Amino acid sequence: RLIKSKDEVRKINEEKFACKMELASTVQQIALLEERQGNIGKAIERCEEAVALRKEVSPEVDESSLTLLNALGRLYSHRSVGWYKEALNNFEKVYEVKSELHDGEDHIDVVPSINNIAYVHGELGNHRQCLNLSDRAIDICTTGRGISKETVAAYT
């Protein structure tokens, strides 16, 4: 029987979706293992493969894609690779999504993204931008939390 009912087609599509999502997750785990073994090039290939698989299933960058984009940004910014502009693109995308999740407000959840962006600017020699972003991250962390900038500076 070649003709399938709408329910059969829907079920097949749901299974394909689930399989690709699991495959993307597995490939991401392999990328992490490659990174731990020092195989940064292979880790990047696997991470890019996982990103492509996720895009096939869901072209929008959503909250569940952020870990993968951060990992890829971290790999791109590895000193042995030095693809800082590519890393910056990933980290900025993560920042945009996290910022949108909090209606554009400076929420504590955006601080890791700001720190990643600051790091890359430092590696690119944009030291003023790096310092400005780091100050902003400190402001977000300290505002309304009973922690002063001096206290943060004392522990860093």
Side-chain angles (χ1 to χ4, degrees), residues 69-86:
L69 290 176
N70 266 326
L72 190 54
R74 187 183 69 249
L75 291 167
Y76 285 157
S77 64
H78 193 276
R79 288 187 188 268
S80 68
V81 178
W83 296 349
Y84 297 113
K85 294 196 188 274
E86 292 85 350

Side-chain angles (χ1 to χ4, degrees), residues 11-88:
K11 185 176 180 178
I12 289 168
N13 286 336
E14 286 174 0
E15 288 176 3
K16 284 181 184 178
F17 173 88
C19 285
K20 282 197 177 179
M21 291 300 282
E22 287 304 318
L23 180 58
S25 179
T26 301
V27 171
Q28 180 181 0
Q29 292 302 315
I30 293 170
L32 291 173
L33 291 171
E34 291 288 1
E35 179 185 14
R36 286 183 185 146
Q37 294 177 17
N39 302 324
I40 305 303
K42 287 182 181 180
I44 288 172
E45 289 173 16
R46 291 299 192 161
C47 220
E48 288 173 339
E49 182 182 349
V51 168
L53 285 165
R54 285 195 65 86
K55 281 184 181 178
E56 285 179 33
V57 174
S58 177
E60 306 93 38
V61 175
D62 57 10
E63 195 169 1
S64 63
S65 303
L66 300 181
T67 302
L68 187 53
L69 290 176
N70 266 326
L72 190 54
R74 187 183 69 249
L75 291 167
Y76 285 157
S77 64
H78 193 276
R79 288 187 188 268
S80 68
V81 178
W83 296 349
Y84 297 113
K85 294 196 188 274
E86 292 85 350
L88 190 59

Side-chain angles (χ1 to χ4, degrees), residues 89-137:
N89 289 335
N90 279 287
F91 292 146
E92 287 175 340
K93 189 67 176 172
V94 171
Y95 170 79
E96 288 171 20
V97 172
K98 287 208 176 230
S99 185
E100 286 173 15
L101 290 172
H102 297 288
D103 298 321
E105 293 183 23
D106 281 341
H107 190 275
I108 194 78
D109 285 350
V110 301
V111 171
S113 297
I114 293 171
N115 286 332
N116 288 337
I117 294 167
Y119 167 77
V120 172
H121 277 291
E123 292 299 308
L124 289 170
N126 304 330
H127 302 293
R128 175 60 36 210
Q129 182 72 5
C130 176
L131 289 171
N132 289 341
L133 289 164
S134 296
D135 283 341
R136 183 168 164 226

